[in-house]
Amino acid sequence: NKIIHIGSDKYIGSLNVNSNIENVEVVLGNLEVPTPLNIAIKDKNYGIEGKDTLKWIWLDANDTLLIENTENMPIKIRLITNIKTGYEAVSDIDIYYDGKLQDRLKTNVFGNIFTKEIIISPKSIKNITFISKNIKKILAKDDPRDLYLKLENFKIEILN
C-alpha cells in the first residue's frame, strides 16, 4: 500500500528525516499541520481540494489517516473536521484508533462537526480508521474517483 503525505510545504511539505512513514509521495497543499507531526492517508489519496477558507480531503468508504509524532515526548492533539457524505441519507461512521472502536457518528451531506483529543506516544504513529456503513459513492460527472467521505476544514491543534 502506498501512503501519500498530505502536508504543506509551509509546514511539513517534506517528511521529517526521523519519519517512520515509508513509501511517501509529497502532495503540496495548504493543509495546516503543525510540526512536529506528519500526516498521511493510506491507499487512495486525491490531495487537497478547495481554496482559502474552505478546503477538504476525500476518503474512501474505509480509509485510514496516519498521524506521526516525531518528538521524544508524548503530544496531545485536538483533531477537528466536518465529516460529510454526498447525500441527504444518513450514513453511520465507526472510527477506530489503533484498531479499537472508540467513536460512532452519523453524518450526511450537511455534515457532522467531529472533535477528538488524542495523545500520540513519542516516536509513534496513530492510526485513525474511518469505517463507513450504508454509505453511497458520490457520482460526479467525468470523475472516476472513489469519493465517499469528505473531511472538510481538517485541522490539528497541539494542546501541550
Side-chain angles (χ1 to χ4, degrees), residues 4-7 27 29-31 33 39-41 44-50 54-60 63-66 79-84 130 138 145-156:
I4 301 178
H5 180 74
I6 55 168
V27 179
N30 264 343
L31 187 66
V33 178
I39 183 167
I41 293 180
K44 295 179 182 174
N45 179 283
Y46 307 115
I48 302 159
E49 296 183 35
L54 183 62
K55 297 183 184 94
W56 63 88
I57 53 178
W58 290 105
L59 296 181
D60 203 341
D63 222 335
T64 301
L65 287 177
L66 306 175
L79 186 151
I80 305 165
T81 189
N82 190 5
I83 301 176
K84 294 183 171 186
F130 296 80
I138 296 170
R145 300 179 296 170
D146 292 324
L147 307 177
Y148 287 89
L149 272 185
K150 182 180 189 181
L151 302 185
E152 196 173 83
N153 289 336
F154 181 88
K155 184 166 110 174
I156 293 176

Side-chain angles (χ1 to χ4, degrees), residues 67-78:
I67 303 175
E68 179 185 28
N69 174 6
T70 61
E71 291 289 297
N72 289 319
M73 55 185 252
I75 294 180
K76 184 175 184 179
I77 65 167
R78 179 180 296 124

Side-chain angles (χ1 to χ4, degrees), residues 2-30:
K2 182 184 285 186
I3 298 172
I4 301 178
H5 180 74
I6 55 168
S8 161
D9 56 347
K10 182 178 176 186
Y11 293 87
I12 50 171
S14 59
L15 283 175
N16 184 299
V17 290
N18 299 320
S19 177
N20 291 313
I21 299 177
E22 299 175 358
N23 302 321
V24 173
E25 275 182 25
V26 173
V27 179
L28 297 180
N30 264 343

